[in-house]
């Protein structure tokens, strides 16, 4: 009888699992179909590969000069607007910074508001949001809109009505008392929705978490550092540059229990390879910013991670900046491109433009490092990334002592470090065109002075330990940004277009041979594949949002959020005036107030008939 009951139990469990997997597959197939139809923009990154490429071509290099504003929409919020709208069928979903309002707009009825959702949150979360009260957008899947709120609440809304289906608290608390916040865009994969967490400047230990899209129950959580069980690392099977990481890799490069407040937060973008069933993302800076207080490599901060989508188990890892000394978070997007010829051999790769100023091309199945080159010639903190596989330093940057804040020491101002802490590129995503095989990258051209000091940890209080000042890269064009085209196979800049300020918007490439991006002054710009400017239009506020495109009733549209803010625009957004405020950005971007002001608007463009 016991055997019989056991068999029945196994059969029921198997049946339940089958239904669960079938439901997840169905949800994923539905979303994949929407993503594949270029008339939609059904995922923040354009596709699972993070290419931000559209097959639409009704707006093209020949007619983009005729682009005009079709309609606009105010979000009602005057803070930094990152991310962009989703377009699913005839409905556009628009999000806003804190308080994280979401609107559903009817594209068939002059953008009529079908529903509005405005969550109630503890305002104490505002002061612990490091670099403005931004939100990088909502996700769609299984008939739901997923919003990740500033207070770390993940809520699933009915896409038709806006009514909450379920909600779950991703952080420990929702009142900011531990420094946790939510700024990233969720990503739906199969039957799960993936979210990270912010708060590295408050000693928050980073994690990536998967929740079931049906009911919000946690499926798995992978911590950035901690025990093998916490990090979902198999000491023998998980590799770093082709070698098993060994036991306790998430704790043995930390001093004592410092890993428990070790940072490595996960507030950037996520990508997914359905064939390999791997999710890719990066982890942020180790806490504190004072390197003298945390000896060791501080694994697994500053790391590219490849994890199984079903279980969260790590397949491979690569730490780009061991023992970070400059706040070069590794959270920027991982772009997946197929058939990139590296040394004459086609490879399916992952391309990552890191804050540290190096662009990495990796085999995304194995984690093999193929290319690592500077994508801004001003980068000086390291001379190279060691590519000799026989070297004990293989894969590590060769740090220049002059620019090492560790070597220069605590309470010493290390000057002329390039790039600044906000990196050669921050989270603003690049785009990849399979037509040209080039990556088009919004960049910062900014350097800094960096003085670390001793700091103590108190939950919910800043755990930074450094004073910074930022300024344009010297001996250059005088501006603070470039928009570049990059050859990831060779590790070379193909062309570079100077900009007065950092290019802080996400770029968009299309089959119409046009690349779009926005500027901090507020311009939407269009260039051709050779970097020639074809069009520009100044929106009401600086653009830190991501350019998107869609088609409706036979017409192609281009949409972008404007609303200056983010780290670069934090002075304007938060009313800060002292040069060292905003983690050093206020002084560097002081001139921005001469060109733009606060705003919160979606602007939609098209070419008139």
């Amino acid at each position: 009888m016991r055997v019989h009951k056991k068999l029945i139990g196994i059969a029921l469990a198997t049946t339940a699992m089958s239904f669960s997997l079938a439901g997840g597959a169905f949800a994923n197939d539905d979303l994949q179909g929407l993503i594949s139809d270029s008339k939609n923009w059904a995922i923040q990154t354009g596709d699972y590969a993070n290419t931000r490429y559209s097959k639409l071509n009704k707006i093209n290099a020949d007619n983009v000069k005729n682009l005009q504003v079709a309609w606009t929409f105010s979000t009602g919020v005057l803070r930094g607007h990152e991310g962009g709208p989703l377009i699913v069928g005839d409905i556009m979903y628009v999000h806003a910074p804190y308080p994280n309002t979401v609107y559903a707009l009817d594209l068939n009825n002059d953008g009529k508001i079908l529903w509005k959702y405005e969550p109630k949150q503890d305002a104490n979360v505002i002061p612990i949001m490091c670099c403005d009260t931004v939100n990088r957008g909502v996700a769609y899947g299984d008939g739901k809109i997923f919003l990740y709120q500033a207070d770390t609440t993940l809520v699933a809304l009915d896409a038709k009505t806006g009514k909450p289906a379920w909600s779950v608290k991703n952080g420990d608390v929702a009142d900011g008392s531990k420094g946790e916040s939510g700024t990233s865009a969720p990503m739906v994969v199969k039957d799960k929705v993936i979210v990270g967490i912010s708060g590295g400047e408050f000693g928050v230990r980073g994690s990536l978490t998967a929740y079931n899209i049906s009911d919000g129950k946690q499926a798995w959580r992978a911590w950035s550092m901690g025990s093998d069980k916490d990090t979902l690392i198999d000491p023998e099977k998980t590799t770093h540059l082709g070698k098993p990481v060994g036991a306790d890799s998430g704790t043995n490069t930390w001093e004592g229990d410092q890993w428990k407040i070790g940072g490595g937060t996960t507030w950037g973008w996520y990508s997914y390879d359905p064939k390999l069933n791997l999710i890719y993302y990066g982890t942020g800076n180790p806490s504190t910013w004072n390197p003298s207080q945390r000896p060791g490599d501080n694994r697994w901060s500053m790391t590219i991670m490849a994890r199984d989508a079903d279980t969260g188990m790590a397949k491979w890892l690569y730490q780009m900046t061991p023992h970070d000394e400059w706040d070069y978070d590794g959270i920027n997007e991982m772009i997946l491109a197929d058939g990139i010829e590296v040394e004459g051999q086609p490879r399916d790769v992952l391309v990552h433009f890191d804050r540290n100023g190096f662009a990495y091309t990796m085999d995304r199945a194995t984690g093999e490092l193929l290319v690592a080159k500077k994508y801004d010639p001003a980068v000086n903190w390291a001379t190279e990334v060691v590519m000799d596989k026989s070297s004990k330093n293989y894969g590590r940057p060769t740090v220049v002592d002059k620019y090492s804040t560790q070597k220069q020491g605590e309470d010493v101002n290390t000057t002329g470090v390039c790039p600044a802490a906000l990196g050669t590129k921050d989270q603003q995503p690049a785009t990849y065109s399979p037509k040209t095989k080039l990556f088009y990258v919004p960049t910062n051209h900014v350097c800094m002075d960096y003085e670390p000091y001793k700091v103590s940890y108190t939950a919910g209080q800043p755990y930074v330990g450094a004073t910074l000042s930022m300024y344009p890269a010297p001996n250059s064009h005088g501006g603070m940004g470039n928009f570049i085209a990059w050859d990831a196979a060779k590790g070379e800049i193909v062309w570079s277009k100077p900009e007065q300020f950092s290019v802080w918007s996400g770029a968009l490439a299309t089959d119409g041979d046009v690349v779009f991006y926005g500027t901090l002054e507020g311009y939407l710009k269009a260039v051709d594949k050779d970097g020639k400017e074809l069009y520009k239009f100044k929106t009401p506020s600086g653009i830190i949002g991501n350019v998107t495109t869609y088609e409706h009733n036979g017409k192609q549209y281009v949409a972008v959020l404007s609303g200056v803010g983010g780290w670069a625009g934090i002075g304007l957004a938060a009313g800060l005036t002292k040069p060292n405020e905003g983690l050093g950005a206020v002084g560097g971007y002081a001139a921005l107030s001469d060109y733009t002001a606060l705003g919160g608007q979606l602007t939609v463009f098209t070419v008139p008939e």
Side-chain angles (χ1 to χ4, degrees), residues 386-406:
V386 177
M387 298 298 291
D388 181 0
K389 292 184 179 180
S390 64
S391 170
K392 66 177 182 179
N393 293 318
Y394 171 52
R396 297 178 71 97
T398 302
V399 177
V400 177
D401 286 352
K402 178 181 178 181
Y403 303 116
S404 167
T405 66
Q406 169 84 45

Side-chain angles (χ1 to χ4, degrees), residues 141-472:
D142 194 32
K144 300 180 182 73
I145 291 294
F146 297 94
L147 168 68
Y148 189 32
Q149 299 173 187
D151 65 0
T152 78
T153 299
L154 175 67
V155 59
L157 307 172
D158 185 293
K160 293 182 179 179
T161 66
K163 294 181 179 179
W166 55 259
S167 67
V168 63
K169 185 174 62 179
N170 187 53
D172 287 340
V173 295
D175 60 4
S177 61
K178 289 194 174 182
E180 302 162 306
S181 60
T183 59
S184 56
M187 181 178 72
V188 173
V189 173
K190 292 180 157 182
D191 59 345
K192 297 176 179 63
V193 56
I194 312 295
V195 292
I197 199 158
S198 304
E201 281 61 59
F202 292 81
V204 172
R205 180 168 63 128
S207 62
L208 192 76
T209 307
Y211 295 95
N212 296 330
I213 61 175
S214 60
D215 57 13
K217 290 183 179 178
Q218 187 180 123
W220 53 261
R221 170 168 287 172
W223 295 93
S224 299
M225 58 275 300
S227 67
D228 293 337
K229 182 180 178 181
D230 277 0
T231 56
L232 299 184
I233 286 175
D234 185 318
E236 297 178 357
K237 294 182 180 179
T238 303
T239 62
H240 180 264
L241 295 175
K243 297 180 179 180
V245 297
D248 304 318
S249 64
T251 58
N252 62 17
T253 64
W254 291 86
E255 191 173 74
D257 287 341
Q258 200 168 19
W259 56 268
K260 293 181 178 179
I261 51 172
T265 50
T266 49
W267 52 273
W269 303 96
Y270 322 122
S271 53
Y272 172 61
D273 185 329
K275 292 181 180 178
L276 298 173
N277 198 37
L278 292 177
I279 292 171
Y280 305 92
Y281 67 101
T283 62
N285 61 283
S287 303
T288 147
W289 288 20
N290 180 356
S292 299
Q293 287 188 243
R294 44 170 174 78
D297 279 357
N298 310 133
R299 291 181 169 180
W300 293 102
S301 65
M302 319 303 271
T303 298
I304 298 174
M305 297 196 168
R307 294 188 179 274
D308 183 277
D310 298 324
T311 66
M313 288 298 297
K315 182 175 182 181
W316 60 261
L317 313 168
Y318 171 54
Q319 189 179 45
M320 298 164 288
T321 314
H323 187 64
D324 170 60
E325 306 171 37
W326 312 269
D327 186 45
Y328 292 152
D329 289 48
I331 59 81
N332 293 350
E333 72 284 357
M334 313 293 162
I335 303 176
L336 313 183
D338 295 340
I340 300 293
E341 287 201 9
V342 180
E343 296 182 351
Q345 182 181 355
R347 306 291 289 261
D348 291 346
V349 302
L350 174 155
V351 176
H352 171 74
F353 298 92
D354 197 60
R355 283 235 307 242
N356 69 13
F358 286 85
Y360 300 86
T361 304
M362 307 187 72
D363 185 301
R364 67 176 184 261
T366 65
E368 180 186 354
L369 183 61
L370 304 173
V371 180
K373 294 288 187 180
K374 299 177 183 180
Y375 62 103
D376 185 339
V379 174
N380 64 12
W381 69 276
T383 57
E384 64 176 355
V385 172
V386 177
M387 298 298 291
D388 181 0
K389 292 184 179 180
S390 64
S391 170
K392 66 177 182 179
N393 293 318
Y394 171 52
R396 297 178 71 97
T398 302
V399 177
V400 177
D401 286 352
K402 178 181 178 181
Y403 303 116
S404 167
T405 66
Q406 169 84 45
K407 288 283 180 69
Q408 297 304 311
E410 201 170 82
D411 299 319
V412 174
N413 192 25
T414 302
T415 61
V417 181
C418 305
L422 42 67
T424 300
K425 191 181 84 62
D426 200 16
Q427 61 76 34
Q428 61 271 34
T431 182
Y432 169 69
S433 170
K435 290 183 71 175
T436 64
K437 298 281 188 181
L438 294 178
F439 295 77
Y440 302 95
V441 191
T443 74
N444 311 315
H445 195 53
V446 184
C447 301
M448 68 175 172
D449 300 339
Y450 189 114
E451 183 175 343
Y453 60 85
K454 190 173 183 178
V455 63
S456 299
Y457 173 78
T458 302
Q461 298 300 311
Y463 188 50
V464 178
T467 301
L468 280 65
S469 59
M470 301 184 189
Y471 41 84

